[in-house]
Amino acid sequence: MKQAERYRAVVERFSKEMPVAETELHYGNPYQLLVAVILSAQCTDKRVNMITPALFEAYPTPEALAAASLEDIYGFIKSVSYPNNKSKSLSGMARKLVEDFGGQVPDDIDALMSLPGVGRKTANVILSVVFDRPAMAVDTHVFRVAERIGLTTASRNPLDTEKKLTGNIPEEVIAKAHHWLILHGRYVCKARKPECGKCFLADICRYREREDAKAARALAKAKALGKPE
């Protein structure tokens, strides 16, 4: 299957099978989503959603979070991964958001990336979810699933994957495609044991093609050696 055909088929099937695809992080405004995404780095959305209600109640605005001590912030987020570093990131992000952007989450990738704790992936999440921009945030799920399906080939890094995906997926569905790939990687195309048996992409998936070919070679070898199937 040619790459253009694979992209077209993947988009068509996701559009049919997953018409609604949204972030699983709970938030009420751009500031809250920014906080949640920073906390979600190398941590599950489920865990983040458990701690953010109390955090948002204590610090409902960037101004409130900027005025908080690192110790107080840590007390709310200590159950997430790397709480010390994330406490510093949240504090620094809030202060810069207040000082440089009037407490408003910017809609520019460079401005977003100037905030402590905000890298390209986080910035792209904000752009796509909050501002509905054709931005593709590449996390471990997106990187893995895109490669397995065959949308990318030997990508060197997340930016390489991002460029390939945004260059081939129709602009109007790029923001949703980000969630398609994340959710598919989270619940079906799992890292250690992909559940190909329940995948609606199995017949056009490059990983499945390789696994089937590997099984066929093993069977042929077994038959050649006279071993029972």
Side-chain angles (χ1 to χ4, degrees):
M1 176 180 284
K2 294 182 179 179
Q3 189 179 58
E5 295 173 334
R6 194 185 302 272
Y7 267 96
R8 184 164 54 252
V10 167
V11 169
E12 288 177 351
R13 294 192 187 187
F14 268 119
S15 297
K16 178 181 178 181
E17 301 291 337
M18 203 184 296
V20 177
E22 302 171 332
T23 180
E24 293 187 314
L25 291 170
H26 298 165
Y27 69 100
N29 54 54
Y31 155 70
Q32 290 186 355
L33 179 62
L34 182 55
V35 169
V37 177
I38 290 174
L39 290 173
S40 71
Q42 295 181 284
C43 187
T44 66
D45 288 359
K46 182 178 180 180
R47 167 57 55 183
V48 173
N49 289 336
M50 290 173 64
I51 69 167
T52 49
L55 180 68
F56 294 154
E57 183 177 0
Y59 311 117
T61 65
E63 290 79 6
L65 185 59
S69 68
L70 291 179
E71 292 75 16
D72 286 343
I73 296 173
Y74 177 89
F76 286 97
I77 70 167
K78 59 185 178 182
S79 65
V80 303
S81 58
Y82 309 107
N84 285 309
N85 288 338
K86 289 179 181 179
S87 295
K88 295 176 183 177
S89 292
L90 291 181
S91 177
M93 176 275 291
R95 282 187 274 108
K96 189 171 181 64
L97 204 59
V98 172
E99 294 169 3
D100 294 358
F101 302 102
Q104 300 299 309
V105 176
D107 62 354
D108 174 79
I109 191 166
D110 292 325
L112 284 165
M113 290 178 64
S114 73
L115 299 170
V118 178
R120 189 174 184 89
K121 184 200 75 173
T122 297
N124 276 331
V125 170
I126 300 302
L127 290 175
S128 63
V129 175
V130 174
F131 301 106
D132 198 28
R133 300 286 180 78
M136 175 62 68
V138 178
D139 68 354
T140 55
H141 292 303
V142 173
F143 190 86
R144 178 183 72 254
V145 173
E147 179 74 18
R148 276 184 177 170
I149 293 173
L151 300 181
T152 60
T153 303
S155 290
R156 298 183 298 276
N157 50 56
L159 181 57
D160 188 30
T161 295
E162 178 189 331
K163 290 179 178 179
K164 289 178 180 178
L165 293 176
T166 55
N168 289 280
I169 295 174
E171 184 174 301
E172 64 271 17
V173 297
I174 287 175
K176 182 180 287 188
H178 156 70
H179 298 299
W180 283 340
L181 295 173
I182 285 179
L183 296 173
H184 198 64
R186 189 172 291 168
Y187 298 112
V188 180
C189 196
K190 301 175 182 179
R192 294 184 178 180
K193 190 176 182 180
E195 299 183 14
C196 299
K198 68 176 187 180
C199 178
F200 54 82
L201 300 173
D203 62 311
I204 59 171
C205 175
R206 187 174 59 196
Y207 172 84
R208 184 61 181 268
E209 290 173 359
R210 290 174 175 174
E211 290 300 299
D212 287 347
K214 186 187 302 183
R217 289 195 297 272
L219 179 59
K221 183 177 180 180
K223 287 182 176 181
L225 296 174
K227 295 181 179 180
E229 296 183 14

